[in-house]
Amino acid sequence: MAAPQQPTSNSFKKLQGFLRSRMGQAIADYAMIGEGDRVMVCVSGGKDSHTLLDILRHLQRSAPIHFDILAVNLDQKQPGFPAHVLPEYFEAIGVPYRIVEQDTYSTVKRVIPEGKTMCGLCSRLRRGVLYRVAAEEGATKIALGHHRDDMIETLFLNMFHGGRLKAMPPKLLTDDHRHIVIRPLAYCPEADIARYARYREFPIIPCTLCGSQANLQRAQIKEMLQTWEKQWPGRTETLFRSLQNVAPSQLADPTLFDFSGLESARTVSTDEADAEEIGRDL
């Protein structure tokens, strides 16, 4: 397989510059990558992870710090998975890589009843394998291809179906405190990533190999957000900015804000103090 050719059109260069700028800004804002980091980039073969790897390699060449990149693909033994595609692509572009083979597909099919959503268990199993590989490879950061739209969709999924105000953070310390997960595409719109992937003609592996259901809750949220964006352009970007401008005192979580201590923090004017004093005397 030959490495994808770099398009030369002005529209591509503008798009590439936009995504590089957005990714670079996210990396800087959340201190995602530091000097000497070994970044394990998880590549599934979809448009998002291909774009993540491609742009991160461009930034690597111009960054004022040194960091290494290792591309990792998890072959979950889904029927019809073209196992040769990603190794050939990684060889063609000259990026260090590792292919991990683990049959999580059979486990998911055995545990999840026919017709039920498999994505949750599949994701947990995949995450466990990737964390193990990160430890084996000495990776200091695990880079995932989630983008701005993924983060907004997760926010609404958690609100609608979990009763939680929670999304995907751009940077995360795992529960066991062993790994740091980063999402360098956090500022990048999905539509622009899709355009970039088409320009670059990445060897895309379809995400339907597992027979994933069409009417998943995430798909319904995505459709809702796309409808809003058509009716009110810029709505998705505004929603994302809300994740960066949180006011705990204006919500209702007593673990985030001391509502019970408001009385002690209250400032009373001189007139009010005099009135309260007179009231006590009476």
Side-chain angles (χ1 to χ4, degrees), residues 269-279:
S269 67
T270 302
D271 291 341
E272 288 175 319
D274 291 343
E276 289 181 2
E277 185 68 28
I278 293 171

Side-chain angles (χ1 to χ4, degrees), residues 15-274:
L15 174 61
Q16 185 179 56
F18 171 76
L19 290 176
R20 284 186 189 178
S21 175
R22 283 288 182 106
M23 181 185 284
Q25 190 62 56
I27 291 173
D29 286 351
Y30 297 98
M32 292 185 185
I33 300 175
E35 177 67 38
D37 267 338
R38 180 169 170 79
V39 182
M40 188 179 98
V41 181
C42 302
V43 183
S44 66
K47 69 182 188 316
D48 304 328
S49 58
H50 268 302
T51 299
L52 168 65
L53 177 63
D54 190 73
I55 296 182
L56 191 58
R57 292 183 72 227
H58 280 288
L59 292 179
Q60 181 189 37
R61 291 192 283 269
S62 60
I65 59 171
H66 171 80
F67 63 93
D68 294 318
I69 289 175
L70 174 70
V72 171
N73 170 253
L74 172 58
D75 179 353
Q76 298 176 266
K77 297 305 175 183
Q78 298 157 310
F81 182 77
H84 65 285
V85 169
L86 287 175
E88 290 178 2
Y89 174 70
F90 295 148
E91 292 281 354
I93 64 175
V95 65
Y97 71 94
R98 175 176 170 182
I99 305 297
V100 181
E101 297 184 6
Q102 186 147 340
D103 188 1
T104 62
Y105 174 79
S106 295
T107 302
V108 172
K109 291 292 287 184
R110 185 178 69 252
V111 173
I112 302 298
E114 190 69 29
K116 296 294 183 179
T117 301
M118 298 184 292
C119 300
L121 177 59
C122 181
S123 177
R124 289 193 295 274
L125 293 174
R126 183 171 62 248
R127 187 163 57 242
V129 174
L130 291 173
Y131 288 173
R132 171 179 61 79
V133 173
E136 293 172 356
E137 294 291 342
T140 54
K141 301 289 170 59
I142 301 172
L144 303 180
H146 298 122
H147 46 67
R148 183 201 66 180
D149 299 55
D150 286 326
M151 297 167 74
I152 296 299
E153 289 165 15
T154 302
L155 172 69
F156 281 97
L157 278 170
N158 281 316
M159 285 196 293
F160 290 172
H161 302 286
R164 296 178 296 176
L165 196 60
K166 176 184 176 182
M168 290 177 175
K171 185 178 181 181
L172 170 73
L173 179 64
T174 58
D175 291 340
D176 61 5
H177 289 200
R178 295 184 63 194
H179 305 287
I180 293 179
V181 176
I182 59 174
R183 296 181 170 100
L185 293 174
Y187 290 174
C188 298
E190 181 177 18
D192 291 319
I193 292 171
R195 287 175 54 219
Y196 187 82
R198 288 194 296 270
Y199 268 121
R200 295 287 280 129
E201 298 182 339
F202 295 130
I204 301 296
I205 297 176
C207 61
T208 55
L209 294 174
C210 61
S212 58
Q213 301 85 347
N215 295 317
L216 298 177
Q217 294 169 345
R218 182 175 290 275
Q220 295 169 354
I221 297 293
K222 181 185 290 290
E223 183 179 357
M224 178 191 75
L225 293 172
Q226 290 174 344
T227 300
W228 285 357
E229 187 67 27
K230 290 178 182 177
Q231 293 177 335
W232 301 286
R235 168 69 55 94
T236 308
E237 185 68 24
T238 301
L239 286 168
F240 182 80
R241 287 203 302 272
S242 73
L243 296 177
Q244 300 174 296
N245 294 280
V246 179
S249 65
Q250 307 302 304
L251 298 175
D253 189 341
T255 65
L256 292 180
F257 186 79
D258 183 17
F259 293 99
S260 64
L262 288 178
E263 283 76 12
S264 62
R266 179 170 175 257
T267 300
V268 180
S269 67
T270 302
D271 291 341
E272 288 175 319
D274 291 343

